[in-house]
Amino acid sequence: MLFTAFTFGLLGSLHCVGMCGPLMLALPFGQKGGRVGRLLLYNAGRIITYATLGALMGFLGKGVFLVGLQSWLTLILGALLVVIGLFSVQVELKIWSSPLLSSFYVRLKSAFARLVNKTGLSAIFSLGMLNGLLPCGLVYLALAGALTTASWQSGVFYMMAFGLGTLPLLLAVTLLGQMSGLKIQKYLRKAYPVVLTLMGAFLIWRALQFQLPASFDLWEALNNAPMCH
């Protein structure tokens, strides 16, 4: 489960580079030695937000686990990834324009604007935490995966693994600088739909492995089962 979450984050970071890469390149992380530390602090805030949301989804997922819907949710999640990948659905645009989240997004942008020019460590950390709340289809799909876990602790670890998976590529692009980062983003945007489709196909395959009976005696077993009166 954690490996799947990490891989999802690693492959999905192709999307993160396109969406969050320009933002990270514009933030005041400083130069040379202190830059890496500030980048890590910023991303620590982002991952802590993911973990907090993961705790909530894991808690809700306990009910899902009890009623045996994990495989169905995994199947739906995989299908959504395939649709988004094949048809290049702009998930963020639809999320931002939804009445439910548009007002929240406006307030989030205002909070972000108040902190963006500050260089203190607490401001950098807070910006990272706010980044974790920005509308992002990839994060919402990861949270749907956290919903299939059986406890709030599992949800925390699932989203932490996802966040850590997004970290290497985001750090690399940010540290390479503006011009190199933009060139890489151009190529990664082209690869992203392919990777997303393959990831969705994998989740569908995994869900079907759990759902299909091990033998073809299922119908006979159902016929022989005692009837309730």
Side-chain angles (χ1 to χ4, degrees):
M1 182 69 76
L2 294 182
F3 176 76
T4 300
F6 180 84
T7 304
F8 185 37
L10 186 64
L11 298 179
S13 60
L14 298 172
H15 171 76
C16 294
V17 167
M19 296 302 297
C20 297
L23 174 63
M24 291 182 66
L25 288 169
L27 290 175
F29 290 121
Q31 301 295 327
K32 298 182 180 179
R35 184 174 178 82
V36 175
R38 287 172 177 267
L39 276 169
L40 290 174
L41 183 63
Y42 175 87
N43 283 282
R46 180 173 62 88
I47 293 172
I48 285 175
T49 297
Y50 292 165
T52 303
L53 295 173
L56 174 61
M57 299 307 288
F59 176 76
L60 296 175
K62 186 174 183 180
V64 172
F65 177 79
L66 291 175
V67 298
L69 294 177
Q70 309 98 303
S71 294
W72 282 107
L73 283 175
T74 303
L75 184 62
I76 293 170
L77 177 60
L80 285 173
L81 287 174
V82 170
V83 169
I84 293 169
L86 289 177
F87 297 99
S88 299
V89 178
Q90 297 296 319
V91 178
E92 282 75 19
L93 293 178
K94 296 184 181 297
I95 293 171
W96 294 343
S97 60
S98 67
L100 183 64
L101 293 176
S102 58
S103 59
F104 170 75
Y105 180 54
V106 169
R107 289 194 293 269
L108 191 62
K109 286 199 299 183
S110 298
F112 216 97
R114 288 194 296 269
L115 291 170
V116 74
N117 292 320
K118 297 182 179 180
T119 57
L121 296 182
S122 61
I124 294 294
F125 182 75
S126 298
L127 282 169
M129 294 190 72
L130 290 175
N131 176 273
L133 293 173
L134 288 174
C136 177
L138 184 72
V139 173
Y140 294 155
L141 291 170
L143 288 171
L147 186 63
T148 66
T149 62
S151 67
W152 69 267
Q153 296 97 326
S154 299
V156 168
F157 289 123
Y158 185 96
M159 289 306 294
M160 284 183 67
F162 165 77
L164 289 172
T166 66
L167 192 57
L169 193 55
L170 278 174
L171 285 178
V173 169
T174 309
L175 291 173
L176 281 173
Q178 186 76 24
M179 294 307 296
S180 299
L182 291 175
K183 288 180 181 178
I184 291 175
Q185 289 174 45
K186 179 181 177 181
Y187 294 108
L188 293 183
R189 284 196 189 100
K190 295 180 180 179
Y192 172 67
V194 177
V195 171
L196 205 62
T197 302
L198 292 175
M199 190 69 186
F202 167 74
L203 289 178
I204 291 172
W205 173 82
R206 182 182 172 203
L208 292 176
Q209 293 300 305
F210 283 114
Q211 283 186 310
L212 293 176
S215 70
F216 292 100
D217 297 329
L218 178 62
W219 182 250
E220 182 181 351
L222 289 174
N223 287 332
N224 294 332
M227 301 295 292
C228 295
H229 298 285

